[in-house]
Amino acid sequence: MALTTVARGRVYDWSHAIGRGAATGTGFNYVQTMCLDKNGNAYTTNRGNENNFGMRANHVKIGTAAGEEDLLAEFFQYGEGDGKTTWPFGIAVDSERDRVYCSDEWTSTISVFDTGGKFIAKFGKPGSGDGELSHPAGIAVEKSGNVIVVDAGNNRLQVFSPDGKFAGKCGGPGKAPGEFDQPWGITLDKDGNILVADWGNNRIQKLSPQGRPLMCLGSYGKSSKPEGAYAVTPLGPYVAAEGERAGHPRTDQFNHPTDVAVDSDGDIYVCDWGNHRVCIFDSEGGPITTLVGDSQVMSKWGNMSVSANPDMMKARRRVKSLEPEWRFCFPTAVDFDPASDQIIVADSQRNRLQVYKKVRNYTDFQANL
Amino acid sequence: MANTDNCIVVLQLTGGNDYLNTTIPYNNPLYKDNRPAVGIPDNNIIHLDATYGIPEYIAPMKKFWDAGQMAICHGVGWKESPRSHFRAMDIWHTCEPIKVGTEGWLGRVAREFDPNKENVVQVVSMGPSLPRALVCPGVPVACVAGPLERYGFLPQVQGNERAHVLDRFAKMYSPAIGAGPVMDYLSETAIDSLKGEDIIKVAPQKYSSTVQYPNTPIARKLKGIAQTHIAEIGSRIFYCDHSTFDTHAGEAPAHNALWSAVSQGVDAFFADLREHNKSQNVIMLLFSEFGRRVHDNGSGTDHGAGGVAFVLGDKVKGGHYGEMPSLEAGKLVQGDLDPNMDFRSVYSTILDKWLGLNPAPIVNGTFEQPAFLN
Amino acid sequence: MAYQDDIALMAHLMRRAGFGARRDELEARVAKGYDAAVEELLHPETQPATDEYALLRYQPAALLPGGQPPMGNVNWLYHLVNTKRPLEEKMALFWHHVFATGNSKVDNYDQLLEQIQLFREHGMGNYRELLSIVSKNPTMIFWLDNQQNHGTAVNENWGRELLELFSLGAGNYTEVDVRECSRAFTGWTFETKIPRLPYGRFPWKFEYRPEDHDDGEKVFLGHKGHFNGEDILDIIVQQPACGKFICRHLYNFFVADEPQVPAWPIEAPRNPKAIDEMVEVFRDSKFDMRAVLRHMFNADWFKNARFQHVKSPAEVVVGTLRFVGGSEVPRPGYGELSMNTAYMGQDLLNPPSVEGWHTGKEWINSGSLMARINFMAEQIGNTSALGVRGIIDRLRVKGSLSPEQLVDGCLDLLGPVEVSADTKAQLLSQANEWGQISWSNGSSAASDQHVGQMLQLIVATREYQFA
């Protein structure tokens, strides 16, 4: 199966995977959101489970090839009080000001850490008034240092100053442009325009820095299970007997999108959670292609688990096809690192990140090889 | 030595305790080879003898060892041990490695002790759910979900009102003529439970102690057991658990926290019993459903086979029983220690020598008995 | 009074075919009529499915919950509490009682949830088809060792339980039939799945291996041929014992408590005529479960069988949570909430054995009785919960209530619940201590409190343990 995807003059090359299931330490536990620091390293929030395991934010070195990954820091673990969390959700880093913002959607607060994970402050409280939050989700930091919080339960965006003072808001519940239904992830393009994954409305919204609606991208469409396909989970993805993308709707149809990213060329990446893929568009919203996950090479940390467990190794050698393992399963976040041209996707149910590279100077090979 | 007032406390280490990091074969180079990430460093090991050590965070257990009151049963488990928590735990509870068993071994003990179900507080389980080890048709078990003080019906009602409301409750459940067998059965059950509540609630009222228990869930459970035992209300089988020992990731700090809580709780528990001169007729069994994989996964250890069990008590003959299965690669089974002591052996000694029962019908067979009790 | 009878009957239907309903819902259903209510229940596709995406947004670990509680329980509880298709979910629970498969051995809650989903989809369809689906369900295959049932070495576990527990009942086949049945299912297995480490769980996939199938001649229940599994199922459903067995299960689950299954060969059904009627429909409809259910819910013996069934822990917990409200969206602590059925003796997705749970009075022992009463009392005593507010609001419009009115009002709005004269006297004596209660100035909070306390006493009664 292809590791290089070519479409409309663009080339995407699968690079490596990072992670494994782990409630603490070297791995992930249901990543909800992700952001990149100035070095291209990722911060993620991990939702964990009802045994109060796995909740945390971590800082992970991405590198440009398999084996370079490393766990840099862990913070925002489960618990009460400063620096702790119940239901971690959003994360954003302000490398200039040495700050990381994390949202907790249960306590409806934003915790502020330094980039090493040391707790600094906390702001926000439950409610629907100015400066109050309900189930805060994704976060983004403006060049000014102001913090935009996706106030999902209130179906709006709120802006805070770096020290947590209310500075503005936009949106409200609904389906019209500028209105939201439980939005999830957020990103800013180089001009400061705001892109939001409008989860419940199955679309991406682009707003001006002032919050004026500029573009709505996508409509609802759900994968269907092809006859005889293998359902990796009851809600997909589906691996068909033949053909690697069977069952997907059109590229511009989403099922509960969770995140969006913009690359240095202005191309837009949408994390199409419920359809288990990343959809790529040009800056005008024209569909380019989709990525479905290609994790054919085991991650470094994954290898440690497999090599410590002879029975797992044995079982893997008996499996007819590992294709179900390559595929995204409910991806929750996508980011683009302009320095390395890497696209990083948080593959939530598989507890890993998949890294692709947007290849600039791809020379095609002779077709008659 | 079996005595009719002998009691047993079972402390279940739920999740699969890492045998190799609990009783460490510190001289064995294979230990270090297999534990690059989670091995206990030499200077953090307390030596029990020339072969085995325990991590510093299990230090309170050293007292029991030095006093000759801690039996270490090595390599416990059984052949074909499954790596599933549930299945493995079920097998420990029911002594049925082949089929799915429905009766628990301690449930059977309780039935032997009290076939007519006269004692409604004979079996006390600290926790909301009923462990399968205690399940046996008709055997009453007092499941204490919260603090002992709040045990009983309608714990929302406290204070002066409580006696009054419970009295009304009892009247609502008083047998009624012609109500039918199921209604009668409900009456009987409720009245039994109320009786149990009356008996048990005496325990915390009568209790006083200078022993300070740590503020951990397991210490609170052990304190409840101590209170019940000291009150001498006829409870003989106590069950509690601590979790989760399922240290796939971040094992070093997790195992530390788990065993610190357990060992400090156990230490306080026995100190409390001794202060009340009530330790002579108590033994405690600590077990886990399986040990963990020999080679670490870079952060923790995954599900394994052979494990370790401890038996503590004044009357226990301390020492090693059996020996640690070989760590050599060729001797491992699927990367695990090959169990060399059947867990039913440990039960058999306890049943025979401490509880005075014929082990065979309870553990479904005859097993060699390690001699940790006289 | 006739209207009150309609409400009581609708409450009965909803307790049995679902998990109870608040008064508003009962009134709405009564307005449409009993027949319409039954038809709506029988056609879940007319109602929206439960929103799984909302669950996964809050609790992603509930999708592939692995082998340890409670995330699998969280998943099912979320469906049970939120479903707009109560009979679909109740039938899933029914088949879980019959085809009892447990995490204790399977060690994959995700695979058990997949099985429950099959019950949702096919539970009201054709029984013959369901048998085929269950026979190919890898979770069941593993639970009963059929992956070890080889052409060269027969494992009888599945073959035996198929006959004894899933279709005919003991005494309706011979040991030879067990053997031959098992031979017919040789080669029914599943593919090796990708193991759980390091990226989490993947499901099994059914696989038929012809080379491992014993294609020799078999003699099964008087029929002779080179039977494969499907042929065996065809023969099974034609047996008179099959209809009787399944219908008695339905009767025990939906109508009135029967003795435990092992006693069925010895003890006659409580209502043989009812069973005969159901069996006839079962046969004439070619094993259509929907047709049998329709007949059952419309029969007088169903309508009259009030409070003759001890509520299962699932009925207690789900019924209470749906009634009081507030558990529609997962929240921290939902895991603990989902384990409450286990504390009452019904560990969902983990029945004690392939025989499933013993029901009726066997739900009750000293520990489980305490657990169920305390759970219900805690929930129903929450006077700010939506469902409890609903009761209070209906009572407070009367301005003030005498002790009798308080007791009658609470009994009515919580069911209606029928209690004995003795029980009523106790409730009344409690209400008398409070005297007349009112919602005039200042006494509102205390009156709310008294309603909550009265409701707590009612859920603690013997009578309330029955549905």
Side-chain angles (χ1 to χ4, degrees), chain A residues 168-198:
Chain A
K169 63 181 176 182
C170 69
K175 295 180 186 311
E179 296 176 341
F180 299 102
D181 183 2
Q182 301 173 77
W184 187 309
I186 181 172
T187 197
L188 307 179
D189 69 13
K190 62 180 186 337
D191 302 321
N193 294 313
I194 304 162
L195 291 95
V196 179
D198 191 2

Side-chain angles (χ1 to χ4, degrees), chain A residues 136-150:
Chain A
I139 309 177
V141 182
E142 295 187 295
K143 286 204 178 86
S144 66
N146 278 351
V147 182
I148 308 178
V149 177
V150 175

Side-chain angles (χ1 to χ4, degrees), chain B residues 14-15 83-88 90 98 100-102 120 128-130 132 140-143 151-157 161 164-165 167-169 171-177 179 181-187 189-190 192-194 197 244 246 248 289 297 302-303, chain C residues 67-69 103-107 109 143 196-197 257 310 336 342-344 347 350-354 360-362 364-367 369-371 373-379 420 422-423 425-430 433-434 453 456-463 465-466:
Chain B
T14 305
R83 272 69 170 177
S84 146
H85 293 292
F86 264 100
R87 185 68 195 120
D90 253 22
I98 310 296
V100 177
T102 50
V120 293
S129 60
L130 182 60
R132 216 169 270 193
V141 177
C143 289
Y151 176 72
F153 283 104
L154 304 173
Q156 304 85 354
V157 186
E161 232 192 315
H164 184 61
V165 169
D167 180 50
R168 194 168 303 290
F169 180 78
K171 284 189 184 131
M172 291 199 308
Y173 276 81
S174 62
I177 296 157
V182 184
M183 282 287 181
D184 288 350
Y185 174 74
L186 270 161
S187 289
T189 308
D192 273 359
S193 304
L194 285 168
E197 180 184 337
T244 167
D246 199 15
H248 290 282
E289 68 268 40
N297 65 23
D302 301 307
H303 300 181
Chain C
Q68 297 239 61
N103 185 63
S104 62
K105 176 169 170 179
V106 176
D107 194 30
Y109 274 107
W143 172 240
R196 62 185 69 163
L197 295 180
D257 289 335
V310 176
E336 185 59 23
Y343 304 156
M344 300 171 198
D347 191 2
N350 194 29
S353 77
V354 65
K361 97 188 232 279
E362 296 206 28
I364 305 294
N365 61 50
S366 54
L369 182 63
M370 203 179 273
I373 287 176
N374 290 354
F375 175 83
M376 290 190 290
E378 187 184 346
Q379 296 286 334
S420 71
D422 288 350
T423 300
Q426 287 303 324
L427 298 173
L428 204 49
S429 127
Q430 180 64 54
E433 287 179 22
W434 300 325
Q453 286 164 338
Q456 286 186 313
L457 265 188
I458 293 171
V459 299
T461 62
R462 276 184 293 189
E463 289 86 344
Q465 310 317 314
F466 294 80

